[in-house]
Amino acid sequence: MRFGKSHRLPVLILAVFFILFPSITVYCASPVEAMRPIRVAYTGYNAFIEQDYNGYYEGYGVAYLNKIAQYTGWKYEYVPDTWLNSLDALEKGEIDLICSAQWTDDRSLKFEYSASPIGTEYSVVCTRKDNDNIYYQDYENMDGARVAMLTGIYQNDQFAEHAREKGFSYQPVYYPTDADAEAAVLSGKADMAVFGSLSRHDGLKMVDKFGPAPFYIITSKENSEIMGQLNEALDSIHSEAPFLEDELYQEYYRSDEPDGKPPLTRDEAEYIQNMAPLTVACIDGYYPLSYADEDTGEPAGIYPDLVREVAALSGLKLQLISVPDGGIPDQLILDKEADMVAGALYSQEMIENPYIQLTDKLTSQKALLVTRQGTNVYDMDELTIALPAAYAHVQSLLSEALLKHHLIYKNTIEECFESVILGEADATIQNNLVANYYMQMDKYKELSLVFLQSLDEGCCIMASSGADRTLMSILNKTISSMNSSSVNQIILKHTTARPYEETLSDVLYRYRFQLLTVLLCTSLMVVLFLIYSRQHTRMLLRLKEQEAYRLMAETDELTGLMNRKPFYEKAVRLIEASPDDKFQILYFNIEHFKIINDMFGIHSGDKLLCYLAALIKDWCGTHKGICSRFEADHFVAFVSGNEKYPEEIMELLSSALKKYPLDIPVSITCGVYQIVDNEININIMCDRAHLAADSLKESHTGNIAVYDDSNRKALIHEQIVLNEMDEALSKRQFHVYLQPKYNMATGEIIGAEALVRWVHPERGIISPGEFIPIFEHNGFIAQLDTYMFEETCRILDRWRSEGRQLIPVSVNLSRTGFYNPNLCKNLCSIAEKYSLPPALLEIEITETAYASDNNTIHERLQQLRDSGFHILMDDFGSGYSSLNMLKEAPIDEIKLDMRFLSAGDPCGRAKHILEMVIAMGNKIHIPVLAEGVETKSQVDLLKSYSCNLAQGFYYSRPLPVEEFEALLQGAQKNK
């Protein structure tokens, strides 16, 4: 395009403007570029760049990029893809950076490399963990193997060269991603896989490692501006944080094996298999590093536990022995008192000693100078420094400045501290773990610490120079592969997690002046002290009693599990601590547990409960859950929301119950409530799990039920009932219905049973089956029982005032009411209020309720009977009747449940049993009334068995009071 004269002047002015003010162009462009995040491609290497469950990125590469961002102000966008696709996208400018590229000539033509690497990557070869054919560097058995490789990665060429050097062949099989290659090995499609060490593969084991190569950050040739900023940031990082790469490697790649197990060669594995046990000496007197346990005498402390960890990871047969304090490690080896010594100081003298050899360091700690407060060690020309005896042979650990001072050696650490306190020494040198531990003691709290920058105290395992090289290789591999978290756990176990335990001598030292004062006090002070001691003892006893009561309140006396209240509290705390985690509640119930108590006795039932409680507790402990015995045979567990857990524990319990030594099969059901709303009250959650468990009763479809909408409807119905029950009672919506009792021989009405009906103003008559179980569960049934008793008294009182003939009326009392110690007093008070003789008021209790707690209920019934009330055993025959019950129960009449005949009778015994029960009642002078009589044939059968008392629909259904009065009046006129 050509410019005309009219266009030349503006163009010229614009050109001059940009020449004079070039920074303005940068200023205008940079903000736009700065707003766009830097796009970083990654290939899913675990621990390098990976996304956690919250969507955040983490790993070695992420941490390095974040460090760079501190200097550049960059924000990143991470783009996942395969290695080849990532390189292609970088070349096209679709992404900005790749962070793990090795140098190759081909790549250098296409991409711009960072001026310095950001780490070193090895090539690693992995196979399945259960592959016992290939050991570490087992090249003979690697020959001919199928090897999974990632397409286009640097390690493929390295492995080819490595195979040529080691003399083995292989069959390459290429895959696009790490995950595909790992899956090929796990499925058996490949024998091994080649990866870069930046990618972790916890499901595989490493069998070779070679070819360290630096890796760089690369970008496209057109992205020189980004690379310029990157290189400036790297220069600053290398200057200000020179150990960044080591720190990141320690954090993300501390061990090649995630489980800490070392990669062993075939020879090393055979050595471990065939070796004889080796003794490892642990020197006493170095708490918390190494000491003898006071109770067992066994070696304890950080060093022995590290050796135990080495043995556990490697499989080496190591036997730890304790040797007295003052022992010198190299002397113990030379005297052949042990094959090895744990916790030997790692020093140049020991390395050069021709009679011994050292492993790599187990751990390394900073050493501190411990002095008396007020001592300025920098102003003193010569110090007397107390050191542990082991330092006498490892003076290379001490700086030249320290060696100029006067050094004395002590057999134990405590002797070193005592020498400073007593003035024998000006200071002692101890590592930070020891110093911090001992300075918790009162007598050493007046000491102070001085940091020694030049002294690190490393410990290792010492062996004789004749020790097998294979053994030393195994030890070093294991030490190298140990997870830092495992090492730190061992250290914490003996330091922070187990602080110094105060002894009597510490207490005496702390109060030495006070004790001297007490000894010099007068007899009056002694008396005051004794009085104080007595008061103090009483206070401690009260506190202990309170603690004992608290434990009793929180713990189920029989099984040792938590009770309901502490279970609720701990479950709530667990939910609040992890609000994003999923949890579930499992509710267990033993089917027909009462049969076990009746047939085999309560002791056998209790043993079964304890047995199940132990199983559930152990299982919950393994799965980081909690459990409780709510009541009777009901157990509840709170665990994470793994859907497999209910089946897992039910399989465990069912299998255990099949083997349980009892002559009848025992089954258990489980209700599950998956917690989806943490705001719901914990007791409602448990109720929902309970509802799910209850839905399995009499069901043969399985033994696990998960709470669903049907359970919810039942719970909503229950809540409606609970919300309205108080108002219904206050508004007298509960009505008395009377069902007559007949003398079948004469047709005369001889009495009635008072039954409750809820006459709701909107829903009409509500069946007792819809609300009685709910009231029994929440305890409201006791109030309803009292209400029905008084309503019955009002009816009888009105009949008397109207001149009607009075007949006895029986009232049902629930099991809950019998736990009220004032039950008899309350009922007598109500009867007296209406001037009614107790003989007109009969008390009915079900056979099942009596059997549930016959001691307490027996006592209450006896009180009622002694007060003149007649006692009726209701529903006899519907549960599990026993002769003991008839022999001991204080009852005046038996109400025989005719459903006994309608139940299954495969042996044809029901009628004979019925006849015998009636005959037995007549024989022991306890009248038998048959309830539930519905047919003429039943009437005839009962008469033939000499049973004359009956109640049931054959004669009359339960009637409102007015209808019953009319029926009674008609019957009396027809007499």
Side-chain angles (χ1 to χ4, degrees):
M1 178 178 181
R2 298 177 63 86
F3 290 96
K5 290 182 180 180
S6 61
H7 295 89
R8 290 176 182 171
L9 183 58
V11 172
L12 181 61
I13 293 172
L14 189 63
V16 171
F17 179 81
F18 281 121
I19 290 171
L20 293 176
F21 303 103
S23 61
I24 293 178
T25 62
V26 175
Y27 177 80
C28 295
S30 295
V32 176
E33 288 296 313
M35 289 173 62
R36 180 178 65 81
I38 303 298
R39 293 161 298 185
V40 181
Y42 73 99
T43 58
Y45 286 174
N46 296 334
F48 190 73
I49 296 178
E50 60 180 338
Q51 197 171 14
D52 66 15
Y53 65 93
N54 287 320
Y56 297 107
Y57 288 89
E58 61 181 3
Y60 182 105
V62 175
Y64 215 121
L65 287 171
N66 289 340
K67 188 67 176 178
I68 291 171
Q70 293 178 9
Y71 299 92
T72 62
W74 288 346
K75 304 294 181 183
Y76 301 105
E77 175 187 347
Y78 293 97
V79 182
D81 212 331
T82 64
W83 178 251
L84 287 181
N85 289 348
S86 297
L87 290 174
D88 184 57
L90 184 63
E91 188 175 2
K92 292 177 180 177
E94 295 172 359
I95 61 170
D96 300 306
L97 299 178
I98 293 177
C99 297
S100 56
Q102 281 84 10
W103 176 280
T104 68
D105 292 337
D106 290 341
R107 290 179 188 167
S108 67
L109 298 176
K110 298 179 181 179
F111 305 111
E112 188 83 16
Y113 277 74
S114 59
S116 57
I118 64 168
T120 302
E121 183 177 25
Y122 287 80
S123 296
V124 295
V125 183
C126 298
T127 187
R128 294 192 316 275
K129 287 189 175 183
D130 62 350
N131 188 345
D132 296 329
N133 296 322
I134 301 177
Y135 286 83
Y136 188 72
Q137 296 183 344
D138 192 0
Y139 302 120
E140 180 179 349
N141 285 292
M142 291 182 187
D143 191 35
R146 295 166 299 170
V147 180
M149 294 180 162
L150 271 69
T151 306
I153 66 170
Y154 172 82
Q155 284 76 20
N156 294 347
D157 294 336
Q158 276 202 320
F159 182 72
E161 180 63 27
H162 185 65
R164 284 193 294 273
E165 290 177 1
K166 300 301 180 182
F168 67 91
S169 62
Y170 63 94
Q171 303 172 35
V173 185
Y174 292 97
Y175 294 92
T177 67
D178 263 32
D180 293 334
E182 180 176 357
V185 175
L186 292 173
S187 65
K189 294 179 181 178
D191 302 306
M192 303 186 300
V194 176
F195 303 107
S197 61
L198 293 180
S199 173
R200 297 187 68 96
H201 298 276
D202 295 349
L204 304 176
K205 70 174 179 180
M206 185 179 69
V207 292
D208 205 358
K209 182 178 180 181
F210 57 89
F215 60 90
Y216 301 80
I217 300 175
I218 62 173
T219 186
S220 65
K221 289 288 187 179
E222 290 75 21
N223 229 345
S224 57
E225 182 181 352
I226 284 181
M227 187 54 73
Q229 296 180 58
L230 176 68
N231 285 330
E232 288 181 11
L234 289 176
D235 287 343
S236 299
I237 289 171
H238 293 151
S239 173
E240 298 171 14
F243 303 110
L244 176 64
E245 292 168 18
D246 290 338
E247 292 169 359
L248 294 181
Y249 179 82
Q250 288 294 322
E251 182 174 356
Y252 296 103
Y253 297 102
R254 169 64 179 83
S255 170
D256 291 318
E257 296 295 331
D259 56 7
K261 292 187 178 297
L264 300 177
T265 65
R266 186 176 297 274
D267 290 341
E268 289 167 344
E270 290 176 354
Y271 173 87
I272 293 172
Q273 185 176 0
N274 299 322
M275 70 176 289
L278 300 174
T279 56
V280 182
C282 303
I283 303 173
D284 189 15
Y286 288 89
Y287 201 99
L289 305 177
S290 179
Y291 60 96
D293 186 272
E294 292 182 359
D295 298 326
T296 65
E298 294 293 317
I302 296 172
Y303 295 160
D305 279 1
L306 287 173
V307 173
R308 291 186 179 101
E309 182 72 6
V310 168
L313 293 173
S314 64
L316 289 168
K317 304 177 185 71
L318 304 180
Q319 180 182 349
L320 276 63
I321 60 172
S322 183
V323 298
D325 52 32
I328 307 300
D330 51 327
Q331 195 62 46
L332 294 172
I333 296 295
L334 293 177
D335 294 342
K336 298 183 178 179
E337 293 188 30
D339 298 306
M340 293 180 283
V341 177
L345 291 173
Y346 192 91
S347 68
Q348 193 61 35
E349 290 96 333
M350 295 298 104
I351 294 172
E352 296 174 357
N353 189 323
Y355 302 105
I356 61 171
Q357 53 184 324
L358 305 179
T359 66
D360 294 337
K361 293 179 183 179
L362 283 168
T363 182
S364 182
Q365 302 293 330
K366 287 291 183 184
L368 303 171
L369 194 68
V370 183
T371 67
R372 293 185 299 277
Q373 288 185 5
T375 302
N376 190 342
V377 295
Y378 300 107
D379 291 342
M380 300 177 68
D381 295 332
E382 184 180 53
L383 295 172
T384 299
I385 301 176
L387 294 170
Y391 267 91
H393 298 263
V394 291
Q395 294 194 359
S396 63
L397 293 178
L398 304 176
S399 65
E400 184 178 352
L402 288 173
L403 290 172
K404 291 179 180 179
H405 297 288
H406 177 54
L407 306 178
I408 60 176
Y409 300 97
K410 300 294 181 180
N411 287 335
T412 67
I413 292 174
E414 190 167 0
E415 289 179 9
C416 293
F417 276 86
E418 285 295 327
S419 65
V420 177
I421 287 291
L422 298 174
E424 181 186 357
D426 301 303
T428 179
I429 295 176
Q430 304 292 340
N431 75 42
N432 63 317
L433 299 177
V434 172
N436 287 324
Y437 174 79
Y438 274 88
M439 289 184 67
Q440 294 178 73
M441 304 182 194
D442 279 347
K443 59 183 176 181
Y444 301 139
K445 284 184 178 178
E446 296 178 359
L447 301 178
S448 60
L449 300 175
V450 178
F451 178 65
L452 294 176
Q453 187 172 3
S454 61
L455 181 53
D456 284 333
E457 188 178 284
C459 78
C460 60
I461 300 174
M462 178 185 289
S464 71
S465 57
D468 196 303
R469 296 296 176 186
T470 304
L471 169 65
M472 300 305 292
S473 173
I474 296 170
L475 289 171
N476 285 328
K477 281 184 178 181
T478 307
I479 292 170
S480 175
S481 67
M482 286 172 66
N483 288 323
S484 57
S485 60
S486 300
V487 175
N488 291 335
Q489 258 188 335
I490 291 172
I491 292 173
L492 287 173
K493 172 185 171 184
H494 294 281
T495 53
T496 306
R498 187 179 180 181
Y500 172 75
E501 296 180 2
E502 193 174 65
T503 64
L504 178 60
S505 61
D506 296 323
V507 176
L508 293 175
Y509 180 84
R510 184 193 308 165
Y511 297 110
R512 59 192 183 279
F513 299 116
Q514 291 89 331
L515 289 173
L516 181 61
T517 302
V518 170
L519 291 175
L520 297 176
C521 283
T522 62
S523 59
L524 177 62
M525 290 299 295
V526 173
V527 171
L528 291 175
F529 177 76
L530 290 174
I531 294 173
Y532 167 78
S533 297
R534 183 180 302 173
Q535 292 173 341
H536 183 65
T537 302
R538 288 175 179 172
M539 182 186 69
L540 290 177
L541 287 173
R542 284 197 300 272
L543 290 174
K544 287 182 179 179
E545 288 176 359
Q546 291 170 2
E547 179 66 12
Y549 288 139
R550 185 187 66 80
L551 289 175
M552 288 174 62
E554 293 185 354
T555 306
D556 177 52
E557 184 178 358
L558 176 63
T559 63
L561 299 183
M562 280 185 285
N563 284 333
R564 190 187 301 251
K565 182 181 177 182
F567 175 84
Y568 284 163
E569 293 171 351
K570 290 190 178 182
V572 169
R573 287 199 295 270
L574 288 172
I575 293 172
E576 291 174 348
S578 305
D580 297 329
D581 291 349
K582 298 297 182 185
F583 297 100
Q584 60 186 327
I585 293 173
L586 311 181
Y587 201 104
F588 304 98
N589 183 22
I590 303 173
E591 290 291 302
H592 306 302
F593 179 69
K594 185 177 179 301
I595 300 177
I596 298 171
N597 276 340
D598 286 347
M599 293 181 63
F600 303 100
I602 293 176
H603 179 68
S604 295
D606 288 348
K607 285 181 65 177
L608 175 59
L609 292 176
C610 292
Y611 177 72
L612 282 173
L615 290 174
I616 295 171
K617 183 178 182 181
D618 289 345
W619 184 86
C620 285
T622 304
H623 294 75
K624 298 181 180 179
I626 59 173
C627 57
S628 168
R629 180 189 178 208
F630 268 25
E631 59 186 0
D633 57 318
H634 294 188
F635 297 91
V636 183
F638 177 92
V639 291
S640 67
N642 190 320
E643 294 180 356
K644 296 181 181 179
Y645 280 179
E647 293 183 4
E648 179 182 322
I649 188 171
M650 285 302 291
E651 183 177 347
L652 169 70
L653 297 178
S654 299
S655 176
L657 287 173
K658 287 179 182 177
K659 302 173 185 177
Y660 191 77
L662 210 60
D663 292 339
I664 62 171
V666 181
S667 61
I668 190 168
T669 58
C670 175
V672 181
Y673 177 68
Q674 298 283 354
I675 299 175
V676 294
D677 184 357
N678 293 347
E679 300 302 320
I680 295 177
N681 195 292
I682 185 65
N683 60 344
I684 294 178
M685 297 179 185
C686 293
D687 286 344
R688 291 182 174 181
H690 191 177
L691 281 172
D694 285 347
S695 69
L696 291 167
K697 288 182 178 179
E698 308 304 331
S699 170
H700 301 284
T701 58
N703 59 2
I704 300 175
V706 180
Y707 175 85
D708 58 20
D709 281 342
S710 64
N711 304 126
R712 181 174 176 273
K713 290 175 183 177
L715 192 63
I716 290 172
H717 169 72
E718 178 179 340
Q719 194 58 49
I720 291 173
V721 170
L722 293 175
N723 291 341
E724 296 182 350
M725 63 185 184
D726 290 320
E727 183 180 3
L729 190 66
S730 65
K731 293 186 176 181
R732 304 173 67 82
Q733 293 176 9
F734 296 108
H735 290 200
V736 174
Y737 273 51
L738 296 171
Q739 186 174 29
K741 301 175 185 178
Y742 282 85
N743 184 323
M744 292 185 290
T746 64
E748 179 186 359
I749 297 176
I750 59 167
E753 179 180 0
L755 300 168
V756 65
R757 295 292 184 270
W758 186 347
V759 182
H760 195 278
E762 297 174 1
R763 299 199 299 273
I765 297 177
I766 302 176
S767 169
E770 294 186 36
F771 60 87
I772 291 295
I774 298 173
F775 292 170
E776 288 178 339
H777 180 69
N778 77 336
F780 186 74
I781 191 68
Q783 295 183 52
L784 183 59
D785 287 347
T786 303
Y787 170 87
M788 287 293 294
F789 185 83
E790 184 157 4
E791 286 296 294
T792 302
C793 288
R794 281 198 182 97
I795 293 168
L796 289 170
D797 182 48
R798 180 171 58 80
W799 287 355
R800 181 176 56 193
S801 64
E802 293 174 356
R804 299 177 185 270
Q805 180 181 348
L806 299 183
I807 59 171
V809 179
S810 59
V811 181
N812 291 279
L813 290 186
S814 66
R815 177 179 57 185
T816 305
F818 284 94
Y819 290 104
N820 180 1
N822 296 319
L823 174 65
C824 181
K825 179 181 176 182
N826 293 342
L827 296 186
C828 288
S829 176
I830 294 172
E832 290 172 4
K833 175 180 176 182
Y834 295 95
S835 302
L836 293 173
L840 284 175
L841 297 162
E842 299 176 333
I843 305 299
E844 292 196 19
I845 179 172
T846 64
E847 169 200 11
T848 306
Y850 181 82
S852 65
D853 187 357
N854 56 6
N855 289 333
T856 301
I857 295 179
H858 182 282
E859 181 182 346
R860 301 288 184 269
L861 289 176
Q862 191 62 57
Q863 291 173 354
L864 290 168
R865 197 161 181 252
D866 291 343
S867 298
F869 293 99
H870 281 208
I871 309 300
L872 282 61
M873 177 72 74
D874 193 14
D875 293 340
F876 191 81
S878 62
Y880 301 96
S881 310
S882 68
L883 296 177
N884 276 338
M885 192 183 302
L886 289 177
K887 182 182 73 172
E888 298 172 357
I891 58 176
D892 299 292
E893 185 176 308
I894 294 172
K895 294 188 72 175
L896 185 62
D897 193 341
M898 289 303 288
R899 287 178 296 178
F900 177 75
L901 288 178
S902 60
D905 185 21
C907 300
R909 301 170 181 168
K911 291 183 178 180
H912 299 298
I913 294 173
L914 180 65
E915 182 180 9
M916 292 301 102
V917 171
I918 294 171
M920 181 171 56
N922 292 334
K923 189 71 174 176
I924 61 177
H925 306 295
I926 297 179
V928 177
L929 182 146
E931 61 177 336
V933 177
E934 298 180 351
T935 65
K936 178 68 166 59
S937 61
Q938 289 179 340
V939 172
D940 294 338
L941 180 67
L942 290 166
K943 286 181 178 180
S944 69
Y945 294 159
S946 300
C947 177
N948 293 324
L949 306 180
Q951 173 185 345
F953 277 27
Y954 177 77
Y955 290 103
S956 174
R957 60 182 176 80
L959 301 171
V961 174
E962 295 78 7
E963 293 183 25
F964 178 83
E965 289 172 349
L967 176 68
L968 180 62
Q969 187 173 0
Q972 290 174 350
K973 286 180 179 179
N974 295 330
K975 284 179 62 174

